[in-house]
């Protein structure tokens, strides 16, 4: 029997049942594809289909995303995401992995690579270093107490919000298209089908926890983050979209903190450049890996 597509699996991390998909080819070197915030593991399907010929591809859903469990108290601390990633690698039993990660996923994978440099062979980081130095400075300028109070207010508002419901899957698809104008209809439909679930009343809602709209007001101090970045020994390919809101680390100076890196910018691409410029993305990733 020929099995088409990935198989669904799960592992336990901090009492949460976490979901991941396995694209087969288990005797090949392990490659983890980590999605970003308010996304899901099936957004990698086009990439995974190409790379699964040469790699054992694993694509996990972050906590609160896709088909992984939501956190009961709605607190999504970045360190908890890093623990989950470390637990996945530990559960799979690999001595070393290669990682391709996007946005929040890139932030998580980069911290993991700094904590366990011997475990990461190579890392492709797609716009995943977190806020730029300018954004961090502006936030710090608001004052600790002000940031704390703002977080409390936003959390309180989040507790009263009902997850948005779409009358049809087509309405959710239209929202997906509006969010990213670079997506083709095929891409947007695929992301919608795997990113939304049907409610009891027949409407549709996104799978991610609405509390993910309210990020923690405090994160790892900048000097500690730089310690982790400096500890990374594997080669890193940083990819950035010319039309994205994200700050290019070669321009803002953060790239200089890494030992072995290259930065590549993609024209006519936004934050999801692996969707926006798929063919070029695959060429660069294949050449790097």
């Amino acid at each position: 029997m020929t099995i088409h597509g990935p198989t669904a699996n799960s592992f336990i991390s901090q009492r949460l049942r976490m979901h991941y998909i396995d694209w087969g080819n288990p005797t090949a070197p392990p490659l983890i594809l980590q999605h970003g915030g308010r996304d899901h593991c099936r957004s990698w399907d086009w990439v995974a289909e190409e790379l699964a010929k040469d790699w054992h591809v694993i694509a996990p859903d972050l906590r609160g995303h896709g088909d992984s469990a939501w956190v009961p108290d709605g607190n999504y601390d970045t360190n908890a995401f890093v623990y989950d990633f470390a637990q996945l690698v530990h559960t799979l039993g690999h001595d070393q992995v290669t990682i391709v990660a996007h946005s929040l996923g890139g932030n998580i994978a980069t911290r993991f690579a700094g904590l366990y440099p011997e475990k990461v062979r190579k890392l492709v980081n797609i716009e995943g270093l977190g806020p730029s130095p300018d954004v961090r400075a502006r936030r710090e300028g608001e004052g600790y107490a002000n940031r704390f109070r703002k977080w409390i207010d936003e959390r309180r508002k989040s507790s009263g919000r009902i997850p948005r419901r779409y009358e049809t899957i087509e309405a959710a698809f239209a929202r997906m298209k509006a969010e990213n104008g670079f997506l083709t209809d095929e891409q947007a439909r695929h992301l919608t089908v795997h990113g939304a679930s049907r409610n009891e009343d027949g409407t549709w809602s996104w799978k991610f926890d609405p509390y993910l709209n309210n990020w923690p007001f405090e994160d790892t101090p900048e000097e500690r983050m730089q310690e982790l970045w400096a500890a990374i020994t594997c080669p890193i390919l940083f990819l950035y979209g010319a039309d994205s809101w994200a700050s290019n680390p070669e321009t803002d100076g953060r790239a200089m903190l890494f030992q072995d890196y290259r930065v590549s910018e993609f024209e006519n691409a936004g934050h999801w450049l692996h969707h926006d410029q798929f063919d070029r993305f695959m060429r660069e990733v294949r050449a790097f890996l």
Side-chain angles (χ1 to χ4, degrees), residues 47-197:
V47 176
E49 285 180 341
E50 293 291 324
L51 295 179
K53 302 165 188 175
D54 303 306
W55 299 84
H56 179 199
V57 177
I58 299 292
D61 277 324
L62 295 171
R63 57 172 55 204
H65 296 74
D67 294 313
S68 285
W70 292 8
V71 178
D73 65 0
N75 277 314
Y76 289 94
D77 182 85
T78 307
N79 291 337
F81 286 122
V82 176
Y83 180 94
D84 294 338
F85 193 92
Q87 182 65 7
L88 172 64
V89 175
H90 174 75
T91 300
L92 295 174
H94 296 307
D95 293 328
Q96 194 175 56
V97 296
T98 299
I99 307 169
V100 178
H102 174 236
S103 195
L104 172 62
N107 199 327
I108 294 163
T110 304
R111 298 185 195 206
F112 176 81
L115 289 168
Y116 302 99
E118 74 284 357
K119 286 189 170 292
V120 183
R121 174 184 165 272
K122 287 187 178 181
L123 169 62
V124 177
N125 181 318
I126 309 166
E127 301 205 350
L129 282 183
S132 69
D134 287 345
V135 171
R136 275 183 172 264
R138 285 199 300 271
R139 289 179 180 175
E140 287 296 321
E142 295 175 1
Y144 179 81
N146 288 331
R147 295 199 311 275
F148 206 149
R149 284 191 293 267
K150 182 180 178 181
W151 177 81
I152 290 174
D153 290 342
E154 290 178 349
R155 289 278 296 181
R156 188 172 291 128
K157 291 175 183 176
S158 294
S159 69
R161 291 197 188 105
I162 298 174
R164 180 177 298 179
R165 295 183 176 228
Y166 299 89
E167 289 299 318
T168 64
I169 193 69
E170 290 299 323
F173 162 74
R175 173 60 181 166
M176 178 68 73
K177 281 282 289 182
E179 185 72 16
N180 185 356
F182 286 103
L183 291 175
T184 65
D185 285 352
E186 178 191 2
Q187 288 173 321
R189 191 171 300 281
H190 182 87
L191 295 173
T192 301
V193 167
H194 290 288
S197 57

